[in-house]
Each structure stands twice: as structure tokens, then as C-alpha cells.
mmCIF file of all heavy atoms in Angstrom:
data_model
loop_
_atom_site.group_PDB
_atom_site.id
_atom_site.type_symbol
_atom_site.label_atom_id
_atom_site.label_comp_id
_atom_site.label_asym_id
_atom_site.label_seq_id
_atom_site.Cartn_x
_atom_site.Cartn_y
_atom_site.Cartn_z
ATOM 1 N N PHE A 21 112.637 -70.069 -7.148
ATOM 2 C CA PHE A 21 111.639 -70.201 -8.275
ATOM 3 C C PHE A 21 110.497 -71.069 -7.673
ATOM 4 O O PHE A 21 110.642 -71.774 -6.772
ATOM 5 C CB PHE A 21 112.206 -70.851 -9.517
ATOM 6 C CG PHE A 21 112.815 -72.300 -9.289
ATOM 7 C CD1 PHE A 21 112.058 -73.389 -9.405
ATOM 8 C CD2 PHE A 21 114.193 -72.380 -9.014
ATOM 9 C CE1 PHE A 21 112.585 -74.665 -9.217
ATOM 10 C CE2 PHE A 21 114.723 -73.645 -8.809
ATOM 11 C CZ PHE A 21 113.987 -74.784 -8.917
ATOM 12 N N PRO A 22 109.276 -70.911 -8.341
ATOM 13 C CA PRO A 22 108.115 -71.682 -7.889
ATOM 14 C C PRO A 22 108.432 -73.170 -7.925
ATOM 15 O O PRO A 22 108.911 -73.681 -8.872
ATOM 16 C CB PRO A 22 106.986 -71.249 -8.814
ATOM 17 C CG PRO A 22 107.444 -69.946 -9.346
ATOM 18 C CD PRO A 22 108.954 -70.007 -9.426
ATOM 19 N N GLY A 23 108.084 -73.860 -6.866
ATOM 20 C CA GLY A 23 108.273 -75.358 -6.775
ATOM 21 C C GLY A 23 109.666 -75.736 -6.468
ATOM 22 O O GLY A 23 109.992 -76.948 -6.622
ATOM 23 N N ALA A 24 110.526 -74.829 -6.116
ATOM 24 C CA ALA A 24 111.888 -75.156 -5.737
ATOM 25 C C ALA A 24 112.018 -76.042 -4.549
ATOM 26 O O ALA A 24 111.144 -76.000 -3.718
ATOM 27 C CB ALA A 24 112.709 -73.866 -5.609
ATOM 28 N N PRO A 25 113.080 -76.853 -4.392
ATOM 29 C CA PRO A 25 113.305 -77.530 -3.211
ATOM 30 C C PRO A 25 113.379 -76.573 -1.963
ATOM 31 O O PRO A 25 113.675 -75.377 -2.169
ATOM 32 C CB PRO A 25 114.688 -78.185 -3.356
ATOM 33 C CG PRO A 25 114.852 -78.199 -4.822
ATOM 34 C CD PRO A 25 114.139 -76.987 -5.426
ATOM 35 N N ARG A 26 112.994 -77.021 -0.762
ATOM 36 C CA ARG A 26 112.912 -76.121 0.344
ATOM 37 C C ARG A 26 113.277 -76.806 1.644
ATOM 38 O O ARG A 26 112.985 -78.005 1.795
ATOM 39 C CB ARG A 26 111.556 -75.466 0.433
ATOM 40 C CG ARG A 26 110.453 -76.426 0.551
ATOM 41 C CD ARG A 26 109.138 -75.903 -0.006
ATOM 42 N NE ARG A 26 109.262 -75.848 -1.430
ATOM 43 C CZ ARG A 26 108.275 -75.726 -2.219
ATOM 44 N NH1 ARG A 26 107.042 -75.694 -1.767
ATOM 45 N NH2 ARG A 26 108.380 -75.688 -3.542
ATOM 46 N N THR A 27 113.864 -75.994 2.537
ATOM 47 C CA THR A 27 114.121 -76.438 3.938
ATOM 48 C C THR A 27 112.835 -76.501 4.724
ATOM 49 O O THR A 27 112.686 -77.402 5.572
ATOM 50 C CB THR A 27 115.109 -75.510 4.620
ATOM 51 O OG1 THR A 27 114.608 -74.203 4.579
ATOM 52 C CG2 THR A 27 116.465 -75.648 4.014
ATOM 53 N N LEU A 28 111.897 -75.632 4.401
ATOM 54 C CA LEU A 28 110.604 -75.597 5.202
ATOM 55 C C LEU A 28 109.645 -74.774 4.430
ATOM 56 O O LEU A 28 109.949 -73.683 3.971
ATOM 57 C CB LEU A 28 110.823 -75.036 6.563
ATOM 58 C CG LEU A 28 109.521 -75.046 7.470
ATOM 59 C CD1 LEU A 28 109.000 -76.480 7.691
ATOM 60 C CD2 LEU A 28 109.787 -74.327 8.747
ATOM 61 N N ASP A 29 108.387 -75.259 4.195
ATOM 62 C CA ASP A 29 107.320 -74.545 3.620
ATOM 63 C C ASP A 29 106.116 -74.642 4.564
ATOM 64 O O ASP A 29 105.757 -75.673 4.978
ATOM 65 C CB ASP A 29 107.003 -75.177 2.283
ATOM 66 C CG ASP A 29 105.929 -74.457 1.443
ATOM 67 O OD1 ASP A 29 105.755 -73.242 1.723
ATOM 68 O OD2 ASP A 29 105.265 -75.094 0.683
ATOM 69 N N LEU A 30 105.572 -73.518 4.905
ATOM 70 C CA LEU A 30 104.398 -73.437 5.802
ATOM 71 C C LEU A 30 103.335 -72.680 5.022
ATOM 72 O O LEU A 30 103.550 -71.527 4.691
ATOM 73 C CB LEU A 30 104.665 -72.698 7.130
ATOM 74 C CG LEU A 30 105.788 -73.358 7.962
ATOM 75 C CD1 LEU A 30 106.099 -72.492 9.158
ATOM 76 C CD2 LEU A 30 105.464 -74.828 8.372
ATOM 77 N N ASP A 31 102.239 -73.350 4.755
ATOM 78 C CA ASP A 31 101.115 -72.736 4.053
ATOM 79 C C ASP A 31 99.887 -72.634 4.895
ATOM 80 O O ASP A 31 99.488 -73.653 5.483
ATOM 81 C CB ASP A 31 100.733 -73.577 2.770
ATOM 82 C CG ASP A 31 101.794 -73.506 1.657
ATOM 83 O OD1 ASP A 31 102.407 -72.423 1.535
ATOM 84 O OD2 ASP A 31 101.965 -74.486 1.015
ATOM 85 N N LEU A 32 99.285 -71.469 5.008
ATOM 86 C CA LEU A 32 97.959 -71.363 5.660
ATOM 87 C C LEU A 32 96.915 -71.889 4.677
ATOM 88 O O LEU A 32 96.620 -71.298 3.652
ATOM 89 C CB LEU A 32 97.731 -69.888 6.004
ATOM 90 C CG LEU A 32 96.408 -69.557 6.736
ATOM 91 C CD1 LEU A 32 96.265 -70.392 7.966
ATOM 92 C CD2 LEU A 32 96.305 -68.049 7.054
ATOM 93 N N LEU A 33 96.433 -73.061 5.058
ATOM 94 C CA LEU A 33 95.459 -73.798 4.164
ATOM 95 C C LEU A 33 94.087 -73.240 4.306
ATOM 96 O O LEU A 33 93.421 -72.924 3.309
ATOM 97 C CB LEU A 33 95.486 -75.231 4.446
ATOM 98 C CG LEU A 33 96.893 -75.937 4.316
ATOM 99 C CD1 LEU A 33 96.803 -77.394 4.835
ATOM 100 C CD2 LEU A 33 97.334 -75.913 2.870
ATOM 101 N N LEU A 34 93.598 -73.204 5.617
ATOM 102 C CA LEU A 34 92.296 -72.780 5.866
ATOM 103 C C LEU A 34 92.316 -71.867 7.128
ATOM 104 O O LEU A 34 93.060 -72.089 8.019
ATOM 105 C CB LEU A 34 91.360 -73.977 6.229
ATOM 106 C CG LEU A 34 91.138 -74.984 5.093
ATOM 107 C CD1 LEU A 34 90.473 -76.242 5.652
ATOM 108 C CD2 LEU A 34 90.267 -74.415 4.003
ATOM 109 N N TYR A 35 91.509 -70.838 7.078
ATOM 110 C CA TYR A 35 91.370 -69.997 8.195
ATOM 111 C C TYR A 35 89.895 -69.864 8.513
ATOM 112 O O TYR A 35 89.132 -69.099 7.868
ATOM 113 C CB TYR A 35 91.952 -68.575 7.925
ATOM 114 C CG TYR A 35 91.925 -67.655 9.125
ATOM 115 C CD1 TYR A 35 93.032 -67.686 9.995
ATOM 116 C CD2 TYR A 35 90.861 -66.739 9.348
ATOM 117 C CE1 TYR A 35 93.029 -66.831 11.099
ATOM 118 C CE2 TYR A 35 90.935 -65.911 10.415
ATOM 119 C CZ TYR A 35 91.970 -65.947 11.336
ATOM 120 O OH TYR A 35 92.040 -65.149 12.425
ATOM 121 N N GLY A 36 89.429 -70.799 9.380
ATOM 122 C CA GLY A 36 87.994 -70.947 9.658
ATOM 123 C C GLY A 36 87.362 -71.277 8.367
ATOM 124 O O GLY A 36 87.826 -71.997 7.535
ATOM 125 N N ASP A 37 86.128 -70.695 8.172
ATOM 126 C CA ASP A 37 85.456 -70.852 6.797
ATOM 127 C C ASP A 37 85.576 -69.601 5.959
ATOM 128 O O ASP A 37 84.853 -69.412 4.968
ATOM 129 C CB ASP A 37 84.027 -71.259 7.021
ATOM 130 C CG ASP A 37 83.181 -70.179 7.857
ATOM 131 O OD1 ASP A 37 83.801 -69.158 8.153
ATOM 132 O OD2 ASP A 37 82.053 -70.388 8.107
ATOM 133 N N ALA A 38 86.612 -68.790 6.288
ATOM 134 C CA ALA A 38 86.809 -67.522 5.550
ATOM 135 C C ALA A 38 87.315 -67.811 4.137
ATOM 136 O O ALA A 38 88.102 -68.698 3.940
ATOM 137 C CB ALA A 38 87.744 -66.665 6.343
ATOM 138 N N THR A 39 86.920 -66.890 3.276
ATOM 139 C CA THR A 39 87.498 -66.843 1.888
ATOM 140 C C THR A 39 88.252 -65.554 1.866
ATOM 141 O O THR A 39 87.600 -64.468 2.052
ATOM 142 C CB THR A 39 86.411 -66.929 0.893
ATOM 143 O OG1 THR A 39 85.714 -68.158 1.009
ATOM 144 C CG2 THR A 39 87.032 -66.837 -0.548
ATOM 145 N N ILE A 40 89.549 -65.618 1.638
ATOM 146 C CA ILE A 40 90.429 -64.420 1.671
ATOM 147 C C ILE A 40 91.185 -64.297 0.367
ATOM 148 O O ILE A 40 91.717 -65.322 -0.091
ATOM 149 C CB ILE A 40 91.463 -64.541 2.809
ATOM 150 C CG1 ILE A 40 90.737 -64.787 4.201
ATOM 151 C CG2 ILE A 40 92.334 -63.370 2.869
ATOM 152 C CD1 ILE A 40 91.672 -65.213 5.319
ATOM 153 N N ALA A 41 91.139 -63.122 -0.206
ATOM 154 C CA ALA A 41 91.853 -62.915 -1.443
ATOM 155 C C ALA A 41 92.489 -61.476 -1.361
ATOM 156 O O ALA A 41 91.908 -60.525 -1.734
ATOM 157 C CB ALA A 41 90.938 -62.945 -2.639
ATOM 158 N N SER A 42 93.686 -61.498 -0.815
ATOM 159 C CA SER A 42 94.417 -60.228 -0.721
ATOM 160 C C SER A 42 95.719 -60.355 -1.534
ATOM 161 O O SER A 42 95.988 -61.418 -2.076
ATOM 162 C CB SER A 42 94.741 -59.902 0.748
ATOM 163 O OG SER A 42 95.775 -60.795 1.236
ATOM 164 N N ALA A 43 96.442 -59.263 -1.601
ATOM 165 C CA ALA A 43 97.682 -59.291 -2.318
ATOM 166 C C ALA A 43 98.651 -60.317 -1.779
ATOM 167 O O ALA A 43 99.504 -60.879 -2.471
ATOM 168 C CB ALA A 43 98.308 -57.916 -2.331
ATOM 169 N N ARG A 44 98.560 -60.585 -0.516
ATOM 170 C CA ARG A 44 99.540 -61.441 0.202
ATOM 171 C C ARG A 44 99.017 -62.845 0.552
ATOM 172 O O ARG A 44 99.804 -63.788 0.810
ATOM 173 C CB ARG A 44 100.049 -60.829 1.541
ATOM 174 C CG ARG A 44 100.849 -59.573 1.246
ATOM 175 C CD ARG A 44 101.435 -59.034 2.598
ATOM 176 N NE ARG A 44 102.175 -60.108 3.216
ATOM 177 C CZ ARG A 44 102.115 -60.468 4.510
ATOM 178 N NH1 ARG A 44 101.213 -59.825 5.268
ATOM 179 N NH2 ARG A 44 102.825 -61.322 5.063
ATOM 180 N N LEU A 45 97.719 -63.036 0.583
ATOM 181 C CA LEU A 45 97.176 -64.252 1.104
ATOM 182 C C LEU A 45 95.948 -64.625 0.368
ATOM 183 O O LEU A 45 95.021 -63.843 0.126
ATOM 184 C CB LEU A 45 96.819 -64.056 2.587
ATOM 185 C CG LEU A 45 96.195 -65.203 3.344
ATOM 186 C CD1 LEU A 45 97.047 -66.456 3.348
ATOM 187 C CD2 LEU A 45 95.843 -64.801 4.795
ATOM 188 N N THR A 46 95.864 -65.940 -0.009
ATOM 189 C CA THR A 46 94.628 -66.471 -0.539
ATOM 190 C C THR A 46 94.254 -67.690 0.367
ATOM 191 O O THR A 46 95.045 -68.627 0.552
ATOM 192 C CB THR A 46 94.809 -66.983 -1.996
ATOM 193 O OG1 THR A 46 95.261 -65.860 -2.810
ATOM 194 C CG2 THR A 46 93.516 -67.533 -2.578
ATOM 195 N N ALA A 47 93.057 -67.697 0.880
ATOM 196 C CA ALA A 47 92.572 -68.829 1.613
ATOM 197 C C ALA A 47 91.116 -69.067 1.257
ATOM 198 O O ALA A 47 90.361 -68.084 1.082
ATOM 199 C CB ALA A 47 92.722 -68.531 3.162
ATOM 200 N N PRO A 48 90.754 -70.307 1.070
ATOM 201 C CA PRO A 48 91.584 -71.457 1.224
ATOM 202 C C PRO A 48 92.764 -71.404 0.231
ATOM 203 O O PRO A 48 92.682 -70.771 -0.802
ATOM 204 C CB PRO A 48 90.650 -72.665 0.843
ATOM 205 C CG PRO A 48 89.244 -72.145 0.998
ATOM 206 C CD PRO A 48 89.351 -70.651 0.769
ATOM 207 N N HIS A 49 93.830 -72.156 0.605
ATOM 208 C CA HIS A 49 94.958 -72.169 -0.282
ATOM 209 C C HIS A 49 94.550 -72.589 -1.692
ATOM 210 O O HIS A 49 93.793 -73.542 -1.813
ATOM 211 C CB HIS A 49 95.992 -73.173 0.277
ATOM 212 C CG HIS A 49 97.348 -73.087 -0.422
ATOM 213 N ND1 HIS A 49 97.557 -73.733 -1.601
ATOM 214 C CD2 HIS A 49 98.502 -72.479 -0.086
ATOM 215 C CE1 HIS A 49 98.792 -73.497 -2.033
ATOM 216 N NE2 HIS A 49 99.387 -72.731 -1.104
ATOM 217 N N PRO A 50 94.940 -71.910 -2.715
ATOM 218 C CA PRO A 50 94.382 -72.098 -4.022
ATOM 219 C C PRO A 50 94.529 -73.417 -4.689
ATOM 220 O O PRO A 50 93.696 -73.816 -5.556
ATOM 221 C CB PRO A 50 95.060 -71.015 -4.916
ATOM 222 C CG PRO A 50 96.208 -70.606 -4.164
ATOM 223 C CD PRO A 50 95.936 -70.861 -2.695
ATOM 224 N N ARG A 51 95.501 -74.224 -4.255
ATOM 225 C CA ARG A 51 95.693 -75.584 -4.944
ATOM 226 C C ARG A 51 95.509 -76.736 -3.929
ATOM 227 O O ARG A 51 95.777 -77.847 -4.325
ATOM 228 C CB ARG A 51 97.018 -75.669 -5.630
ATOM 229 C CG ARG A 51 97.135 -74.701 -6.821
ATOM 230 C CD ARG A 51 98.531 -74.674 -7.466
ATOM 231 N NE ARG A 51 99.566 -74.294 -6.449
ATOM 232 C CZ ARG A 51 99.829 -73.088 -5.917
ATOM 233 N NH1 ARG A 51 99.091 -72.064 -6.288
ATOM 234 N NH2 ARG A 51 100.785 -72.884 -5.056
ATOM 235 N N MET A 52 95.089 -76.418 -2.700
ATOM 236 C CA MET A 52 95.071 -77.508 -1.705
ATOM 237 C C MET A 52 94.137 -78.625 -2.094
ATOM 238 O O MET A 52 94.412 -79.814 -1.792
ATOM 239 C CB MET A 52 94.661 -76.939 -0.339
ATOM 240 C CG MET A 52 93.261 -76.439 -0.231
ATOM 241 S SD MET A 52 92.946 -75.801 1.443
ATOM 242 C CE MET A 52 92.719 -77.354 2.348
ATOM 243 N N HIS A 53 93.047 -78.319 -2.821
ATOM 244 C CA HIS A 53 92.105 -79.367 -3.193
ATOM 245 C C HIS A 53 92.674 -80.293 -4.307
ATOM 246 O O HIS A 53 92.063 -81.317 -4.668
ATOM 247 C CB HIS A 53 90.832 -78.775 -3.668
ATOM 248 C CG HIS A 53 90.919 -77.863 -4.899
ATOM 249 N ND1 HIS A 53 91.580 -76.631 -4.875
ATOM 250 C CD2 HIS A 53 90.571 -78.118 -6.221
ATOM 251 C CE1 HIS A 53 91.547 -76.157 -6.137
ATOM 252 N NE2 HIS A 53 90.944 -77.073 -6.939
ATOM 253 N N GLU A 54 93.777 -79.948 -4.887
ATOM 254 C CA GLU A 54 94.428 -80.724 -5.903
ATOM 255 C C GLU A 54 95.644 -81.488 -5.467
ATOM 256 O O GLU A 54 96.426 -82.113 -6.264
ATOM 257 C CB GLU A 54 94.860 -79.833 -7.133
ATOM 258 C CG GLU A 54 93.759 -79.073 -7.649
ATOM 259 C CD GLU A 54 94.255 -77.985 -8.669
ATOM 260 O OE1 GLU A 54 95.508 -77.636 -8.659
ATOM 261 O OE2 GLU A 54 93.443 -77.514 -9.466
ATOM 262 N N ARG A 55 95.879 -81.475 -4.143
ATOM 263 C CA ARG A 55 97.184 -81.977 -3.611
ATOM 264 C C ARG A 55 96.888 -83.105 -2.580
ATOM 265 O O ARG A 55 96.407 -82.871 -1.506
ATOM 266 C CB ARG A 55 97.939 -80.898 -2.972
ATOM 267 C CG ARG A 55 98.233 -79.611 -3.710
ATOM 268 C CD ARG A 55 99.136 -79.947 -4.916
ATOM 269 N NE ARG A 55 99.695 -78.801 -5.451
ATOM 270 C CZ ARG A 55 99.939 -78.571 -6.753
ATOM 271 N NH1 ARG A 55 99.589 -79.481 -7.601
ATOM 272 N NH2 ARG A 55 100.506 -77.485 -7.099
ATOM 273 N N ALA A 56 97.261 -84.340 -2.929
ATOM 274 C CA ALA A 56 97.131 -85.436 -2.009
ATOM 275 C C ALA A 56 97.931 -85.226 -0.708
ATOM 276 O O ALA A 56 97.461 -85.580 0.333
ATOM 277 C CB ALA A 56 97.591 -86.764 -2.640
ATOM 278 N N PHE A 57 99.091 -84.562 -0.853
ATOM 279 C CA PHE A 57 99.932 -84.343 0.361
ATOM 280 C C PHE A 57 99.271 -83.322 1.314
ATOM 281 O O PHE A 57 99.753 -83.186 2.461
ATOM 282 C CB PHE A 57 101.361 -83.907 0.041
ATOM 283 C CG PHE A 57 101.514 -82.596 -0.750
ATOM 284 C CD1 PHE A 57 101.477 -81.429 -0.067
ATOM 285 C CD2 PHE A 57 101.682 -82.607 -2.088
ATOM 286 C CE1 PHE A 57 101.580 -80.219 -0.765
ATOM 287 C CE2 PHE A 57 101.748 -81.394 -2.806
ATOM 288 C CZ PHE A 57 101.767 -80.258 -2.111
ATOM 289 N N VAL A 58 98.266 -82.642 0.888
ATOM 290 C CA VAL A 58 97.475 -81.792 1.811
ATOM 291 C C VAL A 58 96.172 -82.513 2.252
ATOM 292 O O VAL A 58 95.880 -82.544 3.368
ATOM 293 C CB VAL A 58 97.047 -80.463 1.073
ATOM 294 C CG1 VAL A 58 96.102 -79.638 1.959
ATOM 295 C CG2 VAL A 58 98.321 -79.627 0.797
ATOM 296 N N LEU A 59 95.535 -83.104 1.280
ATOM 297 C CA LEU A 59 94.196 -83.738 1.582
ATOM 298 C C LEU A 59 94.316 -84.934 2.527
ATOM 299 O O LEU A 59 93.507 -85.068 3.493
ATOM 300 C CB LEU A 59 93.523 -84.147 0.340
ATOM 301 C CG LEU A 59 93.083 -82.978 -0.657
ATOM 302 C CD1 LEU A 59 92.520 -83.524 -1.891
ATOM 303 C CD2 LEU A 59 92.117 -82.077 0.116
ATOM 304 N N ARG A 60 95.311 -85.818 2.341
ATOM 305 C CA ARG A 60 95.423 -86.971 3.212
ATOM 306 C C ARG A 60 95.680 -86.653 4.712
ATOM 307 O O ARG A 60 94.993 -87.079 5.525
ATOM 308 C CB ARG A 60 96.526 -87.944 2.673
ATOM 309 C CG ARG A 60 96.223 -88.652 1.418
ATOM 310 C CD ARG A 60 95.682 -90.104 1.560
ATOM 311 N NE ARG A 60 96.404 -90.931 2.412
ATOM 312 C CZ ARG A 60 97.374 -91.769 2.159
ATOM 313 N NH1 ARG A 60 97.872 -91.832 0.888
ATOM 314 N NH2 ARG A 60 97.907 -92.580 3.009
ATOM 315 N N PRO A 61 96.664 -85.762 4.937
ATOM 316 C CA PRO A 61 96.831 -85.467 6.317
ATOM 317 C C PRO A 61 95.684 -84.578 6.901
ATOM 318 O O PRO A 61 95.333 -84.668 8.077
ATOM 319 C CB PRO A 61 98.174 -84.651 6.396
ATOM 320 C CG PRO A 61 98.571 -84.396 5.056
ATOM 321 C CD PRO A 61 97.774 -85.295 4.098
ATOM 322 N N LEU A 62 95.038 -83.774 6.108
ATOM 323 C CA LEU A 62 93.892 -82.998 6.542
ATOM 324 C C LEU A 62 92.748 -83.883 6.916
ATOM 325 O O LEU A 62 92.162 -83.706 7.988
ATOM 326 C CB LEU A 62 93.504 -82.010 5.408
ATOM 327 C CG LEU A 62 92.455 -80.948 5.721
ATOM 328 C CD1 LEU A 62 92.980 -79.970 6.707
ATOM 329 C CD2 LEU A 62 92.161 -80.192 4.452
ATOM 330 N N LEU A 63 92.509 -84.888 6.077
ATOM 331 C CA LEU A 63 91.434 -85.880 6.441
ATOM 332 C C LEU A 63 91.811 -86.647 7.597
ATOM 333 O O LEU A 63 90.876 -87.112 8.332
ATOM 334 C CB LEU A 63 91.141 -86.715 5.183
ATOM 335 C CG LEU A 63 90.389 -86.077 4.086
ATOM 336 C CD1 LEU A 63 90.525 -86.738 2.755
ATOM 337 C CD2 LEU A 63 88.955 -85.911 4.497
#
């Protein structure tokens, strides 16, 4: 289920400066700007 515990999660956050919206992939990752656990290590 969404948000379930996991052994490993790998998210493609950014792919250059591309904006991608396909059935399988959205980049930038759609919630990365709302997540401290993404923003802090990214910065």
C-alpha cells in the first residue's frame, strides 16, 4: 500500500532540468519539494 514500510525505496527525483509526465514517471518527483528527507540531503 502507499507509504508502506520498505526494505529499499529509490526515487528518481530530478533528471537534469527536464519535466517528465508519463504513465510510469513524473519528474521532478511530485512531492519532493514537501519532504525534508529529500530537501536536506539534496541541499
Side-chain angles (χ1 to χ4, degrees):
F21 58 88
R26 59 206 70 160
T27 55
L28 183 63
D29 184 25
L30 300 177
D31 290 325
L32 181 54
L33 302 172
L34 296 169
Y35 187 85
D37 59 2
T39 300
I40 304 165
S42 73
R44 295 187 54 228
L45 177 63
T46 302
H49 190 279
R51 292 173 307 282
M52 68 179 286
H53 64 286
E54 301 170 344
R55 308 293 199 218
F57 64 81
V58 172
L59 294 174
R60 289 262 313 268
L62 189 63
L63 284 163

